[in-house]
Amino acid sequence: MYALIAAVPILLTIVFMVFMNWSAKRSLIISWLAAFAVACSVWGMGIGEAAARTVAGFLASFETSAIIFGAILLMNVLKQSGAMASINGMFSGITEDARLQAIIVGYCFAGFIEGAAGFGTPAALGAPILISLGFPPLAAAAICLVCNSTPVNPGPVGVPLLTASKVVADAVKHLGGDPEKFTTVLTRWVCIPNMIGGLFIIMAVVFMMCKAFGKNRSFRDAVPAVPFCLLTGVVVGSIYIVMSFFAAPELISMTAFLGGMIVMMFCAKKGVCVPKKVWTFDGYKEWGEPSWQSTTVVTSVKDKSMKPLLAWTPYIVIGVILVLTRLNAFGLKTLFNNDPFILRVGNILGFEGIGWDFKFLYNPGIMPFVLVAILTVPLHRMSREETKIAVVDSVKNWSGAATALLFGVAMVNLYRYTSSAQIGAAVAGAAAGSEFTFKNSSMLYVMADALAKLFQGTYFIIAPLIGVLGAFMSGSCTVSNTLFASLQFETATLVGLSQVLIVALQTMGGGIGNMICVNNIVAVCATTGTNGNEGKLIRTNILPCLVYAAVVAAVVGLLLAAGVDPMPELLTQ
């Protein structure tokens, strides 16, 4: 019963956005009100504390909001400077086939950005490039969101996977295992099923694009691109899986997708596995739907015949800065994650322990995106008028997303921090006769707990969907792992399944959920000017999301059936 009550705000979000096609801003305000009411009336959270958690959520939303603004600003600066037109020409020069462009830009290039930065930036940066290549804005948004799933694991410098491992470290020790070895083994067993699923997702993107946005609305148009899809999967997957055995999680996604992009650009240029007939979106404004186009003013791209190296310089600088600040070897990661580079707000509304820490120089929206955008102005010799247009357009595109994020993150805060001894006892009592002893009684945890109890021995089927749920609500695989990795580990122990494989499914599910999570959808809609189409994107992407989750669950199910369990080798003899 409590799980159903806790699910009400989430169900309202789904109904409003998916079935009623409301904007994320309108939907999340009402859903937040519902979560506030449930937290106070059923979970017994005080109104003052709920208000403090809401304010903390508002402040926390600024972190994602800053990333969105930085990505939008950089995009508009590059459009005004002439760099985007040059990048467009480079990709057009490699191939004019939109199916191949979607793979190279949406999967490989955005995958590299995910491996370096994360936080929804791949879709926010990749979609504008696809738009500049002639893609309908809504199609570009959908493609980049679906592609932004595989590279999420191990993810931005390994953070999601390392977070999952850290969360269950005490449980591993309790069983006599070595947490460091657990991380190493978890990396391998995330990467292998994840890349098998990634092979399917590359093809799913192309088939979805041709069916949902193609002139003929036919899956047949995608078939000629299947060899290129398979080759991409093999190239990226080979680097990815090999590195999972020999490299740290921090470098796997970044290196695999960058290497894959370089190889696939060469293959496309040389005609390797390239379809004989070119397929494009030419003329889509005449045969497409109005909702495919931008609903807010998006300034046209200026062409100044800029040299490709100069045009790509901002992205190169971004990559360098991200590597320097995300790897401990250079010392900047430690520096920027400590005082004096942390803005702290403590004891919000007088509640001790409720606060907000903002690592402003570690936020990719500020550094590198805003920083690089500012440096690009003199580098590309932009006029004062061009700079003004870029800034004004960015503020307009960003403002709607900022409001939605305020209430979305605030609602997640209420889900995470509700707690009731009475409900915790009721949940434990419902499991009488079993060994379920979950102590956390938050709204989000109670929902996941109910799903675990329902599936028991076939829990591996639902495990990735719990990860998807966490990402859908929080907008982050890292947060999803923070919320649910311990639940997944303990459930696996109690129902007799491999803890390594179940936690792997959790983190894979968190990555898969990126394609439908509210934060990413709001961000990419703001970046592409398609605000108001959030519900349509969820409807478009839900099938690839479920297919991906089913594929990784099936792979792990086969491994479990074959008796694969990496956990015993980690236990102290």
Side-chain angles (χ1 to χ4, degrees), residues 49-337:
E49 183 183 352
R53 294 293 183 190
T54 295
V55 173
F58 287 167
L59 291 172
S61 73
F62 182 75
E63 299 172 34
T64 303
S65 188
I67 297 168
I68 295 173
F69 179 76
I72 293 173
L73 179 64
L74 178 63
M75 174 196 70
N76 285 324
V77 166
L78 294 180
K79 287 169 65 175
Q80 289 297 312
S81 74
M84 196 63 74
S86 177
I87 292 172
N88 175 11
M90 188 197 76
F91 280 112
S92 297
I94 294 171
T95 176
E96 295 182 356
D97 195 304
R99 296 165 297 190
L100 274 56
Q101 291 171 341
I103 296 170
I104 293 172
V105 176
Y107 188 73
C108 295
F109 171 72
F112 162 68
I113 297 298
E114 173 63 38
F119 292 100
T121 51
L125 290 176
I129 294 178
L130 291 179
I131 293 172
S132 72
L133 291 170
F135 282 60
L138 193 64
I143 290 164
C144 287
L145 282 168
V146 174
C147 287
N148 188 30
S149 50
T150 306
V152 176
N153 281 292
V157 288
V159 171
L161 188 146
L162 293 172
T163 298
S165 183
K166 182 179 179 180
V167 167
V168 302
D170 287 343
V172 173
K173 290 180 182 178
H174 180 72
L175 293 178
D178 182 344
E180 291 188 9
K181 290 183 179 179
F182 183 87
T183 301
T184 301
V185 174
L186 179 65
T187 300
R188 297 171 187 171
W189 290 105
V190 164
C191 289
I192 294 171
N194 191 47
M195 190 46 68
I196 294 173
L199 185 61
F200 281 87
I201 216 64
I202 299 171
M203 292 187 286
V205 164
V206 176
F207 277 84
M208 176 199 71
M209 178 178 74
C210 294
K211 179 65 175 179
F213 300 100
K215 184 175 182 179
N216 300 321
R217 306 291 205 282
S218 173
F219 287 129
R220 291 183 179 180
D221 290 338
V223 174
V226 168
F228 195 84
C229 293
L230 293 173
L231 180 60
T232 303
V234 170
V235 171
V236 176
S238 297
I239 303 172
Y240 183 85
I241 293 175
V242 168
M243 289 196 67
S244 73
F245 282 85
F246 299 103
E250 290 87 344
L251 297 174
I252 295 174
S253 291
M254 190 188 314
T255 306
F257 284 87
L258 177 61
M261 182 182 75
I262 295 171
V263 173
M264 296 318 298
M265 288 174 66
F266 175 81
C267 290
K269 187 72 173 178
K270 296 299 181 180
V272 179
C273 294
V274 171
K276 293 181 180 180
K277 186 176 180 180
V278 174
W279 188 92
T280 70
F281 284 109
D282 290 347
Y284 79 85
K285 292 184 179 179
E286 298 178 3
W287 46 262
E289 299 177 12
S291 63
W292 296 2
Q293 301 182 39
S294 298
T295 55
T296 58
V297 177
V298 178
T299 309
S300 58
V301 176
K302 289 190 175 182
D303 190 351
K304 299 182 180 179
S305 300
M306 183 180 293
K307 294 182 179 180
L309 179 59
L310 183 60
W312 275 96
T313 297
Y315 285 118
I316 295 172
V317 174
I318 285 174
V320 171
I321 291 176
L322 288 171
V323 170
L324 292 176
T325 57
R326 263 56 183 177
L327 297 182
N328 278 321
F330 302 99
L332 292 177
K333 180 178 180 180
T334 300
L335 178 66
F336 292 158
N337 278 279

Side-chain angles (χ1 to χ4, degrees), residues 34-52:
F36 194 99
V38 171
C40 294
S41 62
V42 181
W43 261 257
M45 176 180 278
I47 293 177
E49 183 183 352

Side-chain angles (χ1 to χ4, degrees), residues 405-449:
L405 286 171
L406 280 174
F407 290 93
V409 178
M411 182 170 68
V412 170
N413 256 19
L414 293 174
Y415 265 91
R416 291 179 65 185
Y417 294 109
T418 43
S419 181
S420 169
Q422 180 181 353
I423 292 176
V427 171
S434 75
E435 296 181 61
F436 282 97
T437 57
F438 298 120
K439 298 177 182 179
N440 192 313
S441 60
S442 70
M443 293 164 63
L444 206 53
Y445 209 95
V446 166
M447 287 189 300
D449 179 34

